[in-house]
Amino acid sequence: GNSVTQMEGPVTLSEEAFLTINCTYTATGYPSLFWYVQYPGEGLQLLLKATKADDKGSNKGFEATYRKETTSFHLEKGSVQVSDSAVYFCAHSPTTSGTYKYIFGTGTRLKVLA
Amino acid sequence: DAGVTQSPTHLIKTRGQQVTLRCSPKSGHDTVSWYQQALGQGPQFIFQYYEEEERQRGNFPDRFSGHQFPNYSSELNVNALLLGDSALYLCASSLWPSGGGELFFGEGSRLTVL
């Protein structure tokens, strides 16, 4: 079935460290892939997305590349800041008509220390 | 530009009671989806409404029902509440068809069932 698996947290890093959060998925067809971020007390916000194989989504210094061969969409950032502390969710959605159910991973909590 | 608004933000109910949660979508959006986010988990799809009809449903019992109004706003109703219904309920709006597109989330309604 459709699912998303992401690395368990919490992930604790020092400011300016390199970040990788792994995400793999199972899906039928060719889904769109997303990273959403949830800051404390807030709803989910789209961080970046990719809609086809080899696409790279990027935003606010974060990047992720749609790897169809490994069914992965790992999130990376070269230098994290304290303000990046949040919970990050990987998700996919079908691109075919008739099904619009988004599948989310369980989330990875990131804590960045000054 | 008003984003997705939800009410109430917090509420406490007892087992067996009924609850109604409300959502106004982002301006210009016509589709509303509801998600349940249990503590420490990713959002789980409940159902989606477009043109006042339920278009897609996740693996939730019939105790969960919804409605969409002509102005695109939506309600989520849960009957016969169980302790396990305690969660953050997120409303997301989008444009139909939303497969592959971005979801815009509200801040959620946190339901506690005692």
Side-chain angles (χ1 to χ4, degrees):
Chain A
N2 296 318
S3 67
V4 172
T5 302
Q6 57 182 109
M7 63 187 288
E8 290 191 16
V11 174
T12 303
L13 297 173
S14 298
E15 205 165 24
E16 299 183 1
F18 183 85
L19 168 71
T20 299
I21 300 178
N22 291 336
C23 171
T24 57
Y25 67 91
T26 58
T28 54
Y30 303 97
S32 293
L33 303 175
F34 305 87
W35 278 100
Y36 280 82
V37 58
Q38 187 173 35
Y39 298 102
E42 299 184 12
L44 277 72
Q45 303 173 24
L46 179 67
L47 180 59
L48 54 83
K49 71 176 183 180
T51 58
K52 61 182 187 294
D54 300 325
D55 266 2
K56 177 184 284 188
S58 61
N59 186 26
K60 299 180 181 179
F62 291 89
E63 294 182 340
T65 300
Y66 190 141
R67 300 290 187 197
K68 180 171 172 290
E69 64 277 12
T70 55
T71 61
S72 65
F73 193 55
H74 304 321
L75 182 68
E76 296 182 336
K77 186 175 185 182
S79 176
V80 294
Q81 305 300 312
V82 173
S83 57
D84 294 327
S85 298
V87 181
Y88 292 81
F89 293 93
C90 185
H92 74 69
S93 78
T95 52
T96 55
S97 61
T99 55
Y100 306 102
K101 182 173 73 173
Y102 286 68
I103 307 296
F104 285 87
T106 55
T108 302
R109 182 176 299 279
L110 170 66
K111 185 174 182 179
V112 180
L113 304 176
Chain B
D1 179 22
V4 179
T5 58
Q6 294 186 241
S7 63
T9 54
H10 296 82
L11 67 167
I12 300 173
K13 295 285 187 178
T14 56
R15 281 179 296 176
Q17 286 189 312
Q18 178 263 345
V19 68
T20 297
L21 308 178
R22 296 176 177 81
C23 172
S24 292
K26 178 180 168 63
S27 178
H29 283 182
D30 56 10
T31 303
V32 173
S33 303
W34 287 92
Y35 288 78
Q36 180 195 66
Q37 186 181 12
L39 195 62
Q41 300 298 314
Q44 299 289 316
F45 177 78
I46 303 175
F47 42 54
Q48 181 182 68
Y49 278 84
Y50 170 68
E51 288 189 333
E52 303 178 49
E53 290 186 13
E54 184 182 291
R55 299 293 177 157
Q56 181 78 354
R57 188 178 182 92
N59 188 27
F60 279 80
D62 291 345
R63 298 186 298 108
F64 289 77
S65 63
H67 189 77
Q68 185 180 35
F69 300 94
N71 67 352
Y72 308 120
S73 67
S74 176
E75 289 183 350
L76 164 66
N77 300 292
V78 187
N79 295 322
L81 285 168
L82 303 174
L83 296 179
D85 295 331
S86 295
L88 180 67
Y89 288 85
L90 295 167
C91 172
S93 75
S94 57
L95 284 170
W96 182 267
S98 57
E102 177 182 352
L103 294 180
F104 289 79
F105 284 86
E107 295 186 0
S109 294
R110 184 164 297 282
L111 170 65
T112 301
V113 182
L114 302 177

